[in-house]
Amino acid sequence: MLSLNVNGKTVSVDAEPGTPLLWVLREQVGLTGTKYGCGVAQCGACSVHVDGQLMRSCVMPVSAVAGKRITTIEGLSADASHPVQKAWAEFDVPQCGYCQSGQIMAAVALLRAKPKPTDKDIDDAMTNICRCGTYQRIRAAIHQAAGTGKGSGNGSVFHLVGDAGGTAAVAANAADRTPAGDA
Ligand code: FES
Ligand code: FES
């Protein structure tokens, strides 16, 4: 048995040490907001945070994250109230939704590192693939969350925001919009 800290809760899982974290999260912990896309660290659909760092969980052996703080899309907020989730909803970013949990996790990591990113910062950091081509809305939503978008308020909210780290409750909008049967 391995002990993991997922969204602020300790969970015990029975998995081979080399099992990718993605599959442990989805199949044992029951958090299906994190998606499988490529399985080879290329698309970003499986992005989570480990000790605050963006990681692609499809290539992360579960044994490597034992004792570390894992945050999934479900752990960003209990009610989709994280500023990035709110910006995503405001800009109606998702199309099919499949990639969007990973996109949001990547955006949160970017804004933690650079609370006022430029377009280039966003383009450089957001390497996740969206087969629906929502990149323009992703960029606009990141600017909105950063307070640098047209019509935004005066400042970034990101100096106030970290992982919720508490309850793993509802999935984000992106997870909710994944087509039925595609959990
Ligand atoms: S599923 Fe992990 S990067 Fe594509
Ligand atoms: S919204 Fe469909 S893959 Fe990104």
Side-chain angles (χ1 to χ4, degrees), residues 2 17 20-21 25 27 39 41 47 54 63 67 72 79 101-102 114 126 132-133 135 156 158 161 176 182-183:
L2 284 168
L21 173 62
L25 290 172
E27 296 180 354
S47 298
L54 188 66
S63 58
T72 70
D79 53 1
S101 296
K114 291 194 175 178
M126 296 296 292
C132 301
Y135 301 109
S156 171
F158 264 78
V161 175
D176 290 345
D182 200 14

Side-chain angles (χ1 to χ4, degrees), residues 107-123:
V108 171
L110 165 63
L111 288 166
R112 257 195 221 123
K114 291 194 175 178
K116 300 273 191 185
T118 63
D119 282 349
K120 183 172 187 314
D121 292 332
I122 294 170
D123 293 346

